[in-house]
Amino acid sequence: MEETLKILVVNDDQVDRMAVRSALTKAGVQMKLSEVGDGNDAFSALNTTAYDCVLLNYRLLDQNGLSFIQQLRSSEIKVPLVVLTGEGDEQIAVQLIEAGATDYLSKSKISPETLSQVLRSAIRVYRAEMQAALAIQQLRESHEQLIRKNQELEKQQQEIQMQNFKLLEASQLKSHFLATMSHELRTPMNAIIGFSQILLRPKFGQLTHQQADMIKRIFNNGKHLLMLVNEVLDFSKLEAGRLDLKAERFDVSKVVNLAVGEMRSLADAKNLSLLMQTDLQNTLIFNDPVRIKQILINLLSNAIKFTESGEIWVEVKELPANRVGIIVRDTGIGIAPKNFKHIFEAFWQVDQTITRKYPGTGLGLAIIDSLVRMMGGKIFLESKLGIGSTFIIELPRQITLSIAADVPALQLDGDEIFCSGKNSHTSVISSQ
Ligand code: ADP
């Protein structure tokens, strides 16, 4: 159904008004036509009613069409406006359009077709302009909203950066505290261990059985405490990237022998066989012997700690591509596959309860993992719950010391541990 248009005709000449009315009626325009004689009445009508179009005679009794249009456009009233010009008025048509008229039509050309056509196109153009203005307004608003959001985001980003900075500071402080404390604890610990060892020597006088037993306990606990302190110190140094490898050429089978020898009494105390096999054509390697021994002692003490009966094997063998494999296998409690990806995380233990059966800091494997990476090697784990675990370390026969500076932080992903540094892909393999 065609829309009924509300049209206001502003003209003091009755004949003109009739001509407009009859042309629109003949053209079949559905309309509600209002007519006023001058500008003042036109303003009153426009203030009370929302018209779809104004047909304005250029010459009014109280003013000319140009000043009427200017007044109308500076008011709040929005309406399309067609100026009907008389003989000789055409030259001001441009001024009328510039002032805000939507269109103009010479009265001499009024016919049902021309008038209805001009009227409809004026309404269409005007509505399109209004929609465009609305869209521009909405765009402007969303643009302003975007700017505000951007500013908020920038502020949040700055806050996050600030928090990151504070976290970094706190972490550095923690590492510094750990390093200083463990370093300071080492001196008195060494004195306790040293003097209790001296007291146990016969030349310092005869001790009763009970006294000797008590000093042995001081000595053993002191050694255990020193090991824990050393683990914390190593960990804080590794975290701060301040642990250096001191590489030299040495006989790896001798170092393995030494580590096995040191751990034998612990294995004997639990009635575990500790077996060693070296299968190397060339036993010389270029690495840090102290750290290699530390890795072995750590793996062996875990193997002894988590094994109740059976054997522990240590094997050193030749690997392709000028690499050497160090393998520690036990018949202990084993590790469930779901825990494989956590096993090398710092402070992580399968049993996280305070009342856990097996003591430890949860730092040993994290330290081993970092050291192996620094050496440009890989560590693998094969394990089956209730059957036992095997830790396999593959190392280049000759390490490159610059790798140490290149060791990135761990990124855990499923059953494998990936890190972005070259030559440093550590896989955890399940034997199940
Ligand atoms: P800690 O031995 O001080 O707890 P580690 O980092 O050496 O810390 O080991 C982390 C955890 O991995 C251990 O608490 C234990 O749950 C598990 N684990 C390590 N080695 C073995 C092993 N040989 N057999 C069974 N579980 C092990």
Side-chain angles (χ1 to χ4, degrees):
M1 206 178 75
E2 205 190 329
E3 177 189 8
T4 301
L5 299 172
K6 279 193 203 150
I7 299 165
L8 178 66
V9 178
V10 188
N11 198 328
D12 58 321
D13 189 310
Q14 273 210 10
V15 180
D16 277 359
R17 293 207 302 253
M18 214 159 71
V20 168
R21 196 184 320 134
S22 93
L24 291 175
T25 312
K26 272 194 193 148
V29 176
Q30 284 270 16
M31 61 184 172
K32 255 175 96 177
L33 202 72
S34 309
E35 295 174 8
V36 291
D38 58 29
N40 266 337
D41 289 349
F43 265 105
S44 311
L46 285 164
N47 271 321
T48 52
T49 309
Y51 287 97
D52 293 301
C53 190
V54 174
L55 296 175
L56 172 76
N57 199 39
Y58 175 66
R59 289 185 194 282
L60 297 174
L61 274 181
D62 52 351
Q63 61 192 130
N64 71 26
L66 193 60
S67 69
F68 178 84
I69 294 168
Q70 284 162 344
Q71 269 182 51
L72 186 72
R73 291 306 180 220
S74 59
S75 75
E76 291 287 293
I77 301 162
K78 305 256 181 279
V79 64
L81 194 143
V82 177
V83 186
L84 302 176
T85 54
E87 216 40 50
D89 293 334
E90 288 85 354
Q91 63 271 27
I92 52 122
V94 177
Q95 270 176 282
L96 291 169
I97 298 291
E98 276 175 4
T102 316
D103 206 351
Y104 72 96
L105 180 67
S106 169
K107 278 193 269 186
S108 60
K109 290 187 185 149
I110 287 181
S111 71
E113 292 77 39
T114 53
L115 188 60
S116 64
Q117 207 176 9
V118 169
L119 175 88
R120 287 205 170 97
S121 96
I123 293 173
R124 217 175 25 246
V125 167
Y126 190 78
R127 284 181 182 171
E129 277 173 3
M130 286 295 108
Q131 270 178 358
L134 192 75
I136 287 171
Q137 176 65 18
Q138 281 170 347
L139 266 178
R140 195 170 295 139
E141 276 171 15
S142 51
H143 181 66
E144 279 164 11
Q145 237 176 5
L146 271 177
I147 289 176
R148 272 200 303 278
K149 280 259 166 324
N150 241 359
Q151 284 168 342
E152 273 171 35
L153 276 175
E154 256 171 45
K155 218 174 123 197
Q156 281 173 358
Q157 204 183 359
Q158 277 170 359
E159 278 167 16
I160 289 172
Q161 268 175 354
M162 197 65 186
Q163 278 170 356
N164 262 352
F165 183 69
K166 281 186 187 160
L167 276 175
L168 196 75
E169 250 186 355
S171 163
Q172 280 170 347
L173 214 69
K174 178 212 71 184
S175 297
H176 186 70
F177 170 77
L178 282 180
T180 315
M181 279 312 291
S182 36
H183 188 77
E184 288 306 310
L185 283 170
R186 264 157 45 121
T187 316
M189 277 325 301
N190 277 323
I192 292 168
I193 294 164
F195 286 119
S196 52
Q197 205 172 15
I198 291 168
L199 277 175
L200 286 171
R201 288 186 193 150
K203 69 170 176 177
F204 277 90
Q206 213 47 48
L207 297 171
T208 65
H209 185 68
Q210 202 182 13
Q211 283 168 335
D213 187 52
M214 277 172 2
I215 292 171
K216 261 186 210 148
R217 282 182 194 210
I218 293 172
F219 176 70
N220 286 333
N221 280 298
K223 267 199 353 187
H224 182 65
L225 209 54
L226 185 65
M227 190 201 79
L228 298 181
V229 168
N230 279 339
E231 268 189 357
V232 175
L233 185 63
D234 281 348
F235 174 71
S236 55
K237 275 191 191 164
L238 280 166
E239 238 198 350
R242 271 197 261 122
L243 193 138
D244 296 322
L245 294 176
K246 292 179 183 63
E248 60 184 76
R249 197 161 298 282
F250 66 94
D251 188 332
V252 65
S253 60
K254 276 192 187 153
V255 171
V256 176
N257 244 319
L258 252 149
V260 169
E262 273 184 35
M263 300 309 286
R264 189 164 298 284
S265 59
L266 276 181
D268 289 347
K270 285 184 87 175
N271 274 330
L272 301 170
S273 328
L274 180 52
L275 311 164
M276 184 191 149
Q277 188 185 342
T278 313
D279 189 10
L280 286 174
Q281 281 148 15
N282 174 9
T283 55
L284 290 180
I285 66 167
F286 182 77
N287 205 319
D288 184 332
V290 176
R291 295 298 174 187
I292 291 287
K293 188 172 156 216
Q294 178 184 355
I295 291 172
L296 270 158
I297 297 272
N298 248 313
L299 288 179
L300 283 171
S301 71
N302 273 349
I304 295 167
K305 184 162 64 175
F306 295 106
T307 305
E308 297 311 326
S309 63
E311 292 109 346
I312 290 150
W313 294 274
V314 185
E315 194 185 339
V316 189
K317 63 177 186 184
E318 209 84 49
L319 291 176
N322 214 14
R323 283 169 308 136
V324 172
I326 300 174
I327 299 143
V328 176
R329 186 178 301 130
D330 65 54
T331 52
I333 58 171
I335 299 161
K338 72 171 169 59
N339 294 323
F340 281 18
K341 62 182 174 190
H342 300 296
I343 212 86
F344 297 97
E345 287 171 20
F347 302 109
W348 197 92
Q349 296 171 309
V350 171
D351 183 357
Q352 316 251 14
T353 60
I354 300 176
T355 54
R356 64 178 176 271
K357 188 172 166 191
Y358 306 102
T361 54
L363 284 175
L365 286 179
I367 293 171
I368 292 177
D369 186 49
S370 294
L371 288 174
V372 170
R373 281 160 189 266
M374 284 175 79
M375 294 168 179
K378 296 173 184 174
I379 180 163
F380 300 89
L381 162 66
E382 294 175 5
S383 191
K384 213 167 183 184
L385 264 185
I387 304 288
S389 308
T390 306
F391 286 87
I392 304 155
I393 292 174
E394 291 185 9
L395 294 171
R397 185 173 281 281
Q398 175 141 359
I399 64 163
T400 319
L401 287 175
S402 60
I403 293 171
D406 204 27
V407 179
L410 278 175
Q411 281 173 28
L412 299 176
D413 183 14
D415 272 1
E416 292 201 37
I417 301 171
F418 289 102
C419 57
S420 47
K422 34 185 160 56
N423 308 327
S424 43
H425 171 200
T426 311
S427 305
V428 181
I429 306 160
S430 161
S431 64
Q432 290 197 326

